Amino acid sequence: GAVVSQHPSWVICKSGTSVKIECRSLDFQATTMFWYRQFPKQSLMLMATSNEGSKATYEQGVEKDKFLINHASLTLSTLTVTSAHPEDSSFYICSAPPDTEAFFGQGTRLTVV
Amino acid sequence: SQQGEEDPQALSIQEGENATMNCSYKTSINNLQWYRQNSGRGLVHLILIRSNEREKHSGRLRVTLDTSKKSSSLLITASRAADTASYFCATAHTGTASKLTFGTGTRLQVTL
C-alpha cells in the first residue's frame, strides 16, 4: 500500500520557538494532504488541507498565522507551529489520499515546555 | 460540530469474545472508514465501506452501514489481546475526496 512518512516522530521545544513537521508521500504524488491534531484521549480534528502550489485551506478556529503550511512539491507538505506554547502540545498527524482511502503518517508528538 | 459519535467510549472484553462498536454520523457520505490506533501512534486503515454497500468483511472484521440511520458498526470476532487499541470511524463526504471527519473513538481493552 501507499506510504506516508512523517518526521519527526516526537519533538520537545521551548515555549516561543517554532517547530517544523514534514509529511512525505513516498511512492505516490499527492496534490492534497491533510493535517490533523489529536489531544490526549480525544479524536482527530482536521486542522487544514494542504494544496500543492496554492494556499492551504484552514478549518474554522485554526489560526493560519500560527500553523503555517507549505506544500511546495507533489510529495512534501510541511506544518510549522510558530511561537509554540504549552497548549500547542499535541499529536499532529498528516494524511495523503492517493485514492479514496487515506494513508496516514506515523504522527508527531509535540511537547512544548 | 460535524464530528461523528461512537459508542461505547470504552469497551473491555476477554480474549475470544466479540467486540462491537457503533458509529453515528450527521451528513451524507461518500464512504465510511474504520481505523485503528495503538496508544500514541499513527492510524492503521482497517476497512472502507461505500455508501451503496451495506456490509463488508475483512478477516475477523465485519462492518455494516445503514445510510438511512446514518450509522455503522464494526464487529471484531474472536478478539485477541493484540486487538487492544482505539478504534475510530471516519466519514468521507461527497465532493471532499479523502477529507475525513472522525468519530469520537472507542477504546477497546482485550484481556487474557
Side-chain angles (χ1 to χ4, degrees):
Chain A
V3 178
V4 174
S5 177
Q6 190 172 336
H7 177 82
S9 56
W10 61 270
V11 58
I12 301 173
C13 72
K14 291 185 176 180
S15 189
T17 61
S18 295
V19 173
K20 180 185 284 189
I21 302 169
E22 294 186 348
C23 179
R24 293 181 186 273
S25 56
L26 297 186
D27 52 1
F28 64 96
Q29 293 183 332
T31 56
T32 303
M33 292 184 178
F34 301 100
W35 287 96
Y36 296 83
R37 177 168 55 184
Q38 183 182 33
F39 290 107
K41 295 186 178 181
Q42 294 189 24
S43 187
L44 284 78
M45 296 297 290
L46 180 66
M47 298 176 65
T49 302
S50 175
N51 304 300
E52 189 269 334
S54 64
K55 292 182 179 180
T57 305
Y58 290 83
E59 296 298 303
Q60 191 173 9
V62 178
E63 300 174 58
K64 62 180 181 180
D65 294 330
K66 181 167 186 62
F67 299 100
L68 300 180
I69 290 173
N70 186 290
H71 195 147
S73 76
L74 287 171
T75 58
L76 174 64
S77 174
T78 61
L79 168 68
T80 300
V81 183
T82 63
S83 186
H85 291 283
E87 57 265 30
D88 298 323
S89 298
S90 186
F91 189 67
Y92 293 87
I93 191 165
C94 67
S95 76
D99 195 347
T100 55
E101 175 183 335
F103 293 90
F104 285 81
Q106 307 93 318
T108 298
R109 183 159 303 284
L110 169 64
T111 302
V112 184
V113 297
Chain B
S1 167
Q2 294 300 309
Q3 188 174 40
E5 292 186 6
E6 291 182 56
D7 75 273
Q9 290 186 353
L11 179 61
S12 183
I13 59 175
Q14 290 190 323
E15 204 171 47
E17 294 180 335
N18 295 341
T20 300
M21 294 160 247
N22 303 295
C23 167
S24 62
Y25 56 92
K26 297 180 181 180
T27 59
S28 297
I29 62 171
N30 178 282
N31 64 71
L32 184 145
Q33 304 175 36
W34 285 91
Y35 288 85
R36 165 199 169 112
Q37 183 182 37
N38 286 66
S39 181
R41 298 190 178 182
L43 277 76
V44 175
H45 182 268
L46 296 177
I47 197 165
L48 180 153
I49 186 166
R50 300 185 189 280
S51 60
N52 61 353
E53 297 177 309
R54 291 296 168 260
E55 187 171 313
K56 207 162 184 180
H57 298 254
S58 177
R60 294 185 295 114
L61 307 180
R62 172 177 170 256
V63 168
T64 62
L65 177 64
D66 187 335
T67 52
S68 66
K69 295 182 180 178
K70 291 186 170 59
S71 67
S72 174
S73 68
L74 171 66
L75 168 67
I76 304 175
T77 60
S79 63
R80 306 167 182 168
D83 294 328
T84 295
S86 290
Y87 292 82
F88 294 92
C89 67
T91 50
H93 301 273
T94 304
T96 60
S98 289
K99 176 180 177 178
L100 297 174
T101 302
F102 282 84
T104 49
T106 294
R107 291 191 302 279
L108 174 65
Q109 176 78 42
V110 182
T111 57
L112 296 172

